[in-house]
Amino acid sequence: MVEKSPKTPPPGKSRSRLWVEAAIVAGLAIAVLVLIPGILNITGQSFRVGLLGRFMALAIAALGIDLIWGYTGILSLGHGLFFALGGYALAMYLQLQIPAGQLPEFITLYGGTELPLLWKPFYSLPFTLFAVMVIPALLAAVLGYLVFRNRIRGVYFSILTQAALIVFFNFFNGQQKLINGTNGLKTDTATLFGQVVSSAPVQGTFYFLTVVFLVAAYALCRWLTSGRFGKLLVAIRDDEPRVRFSGYNPTAFKVLVFAVSAALAGISGALYTVQSGIITPNAMDIGFSIEMVIWVAVGGRATLAGAILGTLVVNFAKSLLSEQFSAVWQFFQGALFLLVVTALPDGIVGWLVTQGRDGLRSLLGRTEIMTYPSLETDPEVQYERETLGNRKSDG
């Protein structure tokens, strides 16, 4: 059997593809901002605009999961922790948007007379925005460094992330006086710049910001997974010992990617919290962290578009099925995951790029002849020849 060899497109063609991809992303962003909300409002489905905003916020976390799992091969089952930290950071700032001298309502209900020291930095909006990204990233960097430097990987790393998740879940649940425990922090009744957070103008602004951050997260992940850095991540995923043998230390790269992934989860949690109206310790539930992995698996590992598509497909299916079959919708979710794992192991986008494209070519009668690429047309071979040729001529 003759397999296709990966081809490296010439620089000019690669640049053209990049522009085409940028145009597609810009077109989709405009459609999500203008076209889809308009259609949903006309058809009486206005509430689904809010759902779309929340699911796009979740897609930012899915991009982070895809970055660390799809490209680097590190399966984290504890990203709900970073998601919750981002949500709590922004919720604490909104809870403090009250007249000077007053305390958040839950603190007085539990007999508190002064604001805990932990809360005071969150009077500042710049600090809060900084904390949404940096606190999850720092926690992930510390945890990742302690784990990766000891060469702990595979299922052991997944178990450790779940253990960390359980620790923080129990801690947040037990802190009634500090962060309202199991009741969580509500944001829908808080005010921001003089307007109620749940009002239509504020929610519209958060919807717009979600689209902007989703596009920015996609661009960041696209940049990280391109070029030599992206190839190194894939090499760590496919054969980490060989990467070490080649002279690289994978620990720093894995810590960096884990921290970036956690920062994306923090942003996702903040945007989701202000659109759903509340953040509770349930965001650190093990099931929610596993759901994040399912979104990426359904859409397609190591395909950034697949992470976004999988998040939207699974969550809209969950929403529609729970409306019609509230008692058994979880069985549909499980069946969807089993179907993808068994029939579409590369996910929806992975299938479309491989089997789907070949099937379409067969239908159109344009069967591609699979053979080894010509050495004369391979740009990498041409580069080596020119480089070696110049060295010989210089010598």
Side-chain angles (χ1 to χ4, degrees), residues 4 13 354-370:
K4 293 182 189 177
K13 194 172 182 179
T354 54
Q355 293 98 326
R357 183 179 59 184
D358 294 341
L360 181 62
R361 282 179 174 167
S362 298
L363 288 175
L364 297 176
R366 298 174 58 185
T367 305
E368 184 182 7
I369 300 175
M370 293 187 294

Side-chain angles (χ1 to χ4, degrees), residues 236-279:
I236 292 173
R237 179 193 68 188
D238 293 343
D239 197 341
E240 185 175 337
R242 183 169 291 183
V243 173
R244 290 185 183 277
F245 184 75
S246 302
Y248 291 97
N249 181 7
T251 301
F253 296 97
K254 291 163 75 173
V255 170
L256 175 63
V257 170
F258 192 37
V260 171
S261 174
L264 291 176
I267 296 171
S268 169
L271 290 170
Y272 185 84
T273 297
V274 291
Q275 294 180 84
S276 63
I278 190 171
I279 179 73

